[in-house]
Amino acid sequence: MMVAVATNRYSILALSDGNPPPALGEAIDRLRATLLPLGGGTDAARNMLGARIDRFVEEADRQVILLAHGAGCRAAAWWARLSPSHYVQRVAGAILVDPLADDVGTRFASPATLLPFRSMTLDSTGRIEALAREWGSEVMPGGTAVRGGALLRLIDRLSGAVVAHDVRTAEKLAGLG
């Protein structure tokens, strides 16, 4: 499923293959999300997903945070690694919830490079540390992170860290002039 949510400070695009787990689904419902299908296992469906993510990011009137679950995490990484920079630079960061440790087949195969934005990986399985390292993602215990207001606090934490990074970068650039 693809979920699109807009908040006051950022737009959130969430990806999940099928229904998200109940706790994540509840958080998405509280955000009044719109659900769209992630797509089937064909190249055409995957390419359509890429076009939908592109369109969401392009039309967003603020920075985007990706929220992904399961195979949706692989889809987010695939899109981030292979999309033109003018799309990817509009993404403030990603929260990746329980990604699949193995990409079944090569549905979302992409180069093994760091994601071009900050990310946090929530892991309730204890099996995805190598994948999170490949993405350059901060690993956090996943258990209760999506219950109650914890997901909203994680989004605030991610977006706050992005703003702090942007300020430090601007200060460094100003010192070069």
Side-chain angles (χ1 to χ4, degrees):
M1 301 252 145
M2 185 183 332
V3 183
V5 181
T7 67
N8 291 334
R9 293 184 295 178
Y10 33 73
S11 295
I12 299 172
L13 179 65
L15 304 166
S16 181
D17 198 9
N19 292 326
L24 184 57
E26 289 171 21
I28 289 169
D29 287 344
R30 287 190 3 210
L31 294 170
R32 292 177 291 212
T34 301
L35 298 174
L36 300 171
L38 182 65
T42 66
D43 287 349
R46 183 198 59 219
N47 294 340
M48 181 59 70
L49 173 64
R52 288 180 178 154
I53 296 170
D54 288 348
R55 186 175 64 238
F56 180 89
V57 169
E58 184 175 43
E59 292 176 356
D61 61 354
R62 55 191 61 92
Q63 282 196 302
V64 173
I65 292 178
L66 300 176
L67 171 62
H69 172 263
C73 299
R74 295 267 184 181
W78 163 80
W79 175 84
R81 290 169 164 170
L82 298 176
S83 290
S85 62
H86 68 276
Y87 288 116
V88 176
Q89 69 189 9
R90 299 202 51 179
V91 176
I95 298 174
L96 308 166
V97 181
D98 289 335
L100 296 179
D102 297 311
D103 188 12
V104 179
T106 57
R107 180 178 180 190
F108 296 112
S110 61
T113 60
L114 299 178
L115 296 181
F117 40 73
R118 185 165 188 256
S119 63
M120 294 181 199
T121 299
L122 307 180
D123 178 23
S124 64
T125 68
R127 300 180 315 155
I128 57 88
E129 197 166 318
L131 181 59
R133 248 190 333 270
E134 176 186 313
W135 289 339
S137 187
E138 177 184 350
V139 179
M140 304 180 70
T144 60
V146 295
R147 288 189 176 85
L151 180 60
L152 298 175
R153 287 189 296 277
L154 273 178
I155 291 170
D156 285 340
R157 178 178 167 191
L158 179 66
S159 61
V162 169
V163 170
H165 177 267
D166 290 348
V167 168
R168 286 191 305 273
T169 301
E171 289 171 346
K172 287 178 185 177
L173 290 173
L176 295 175

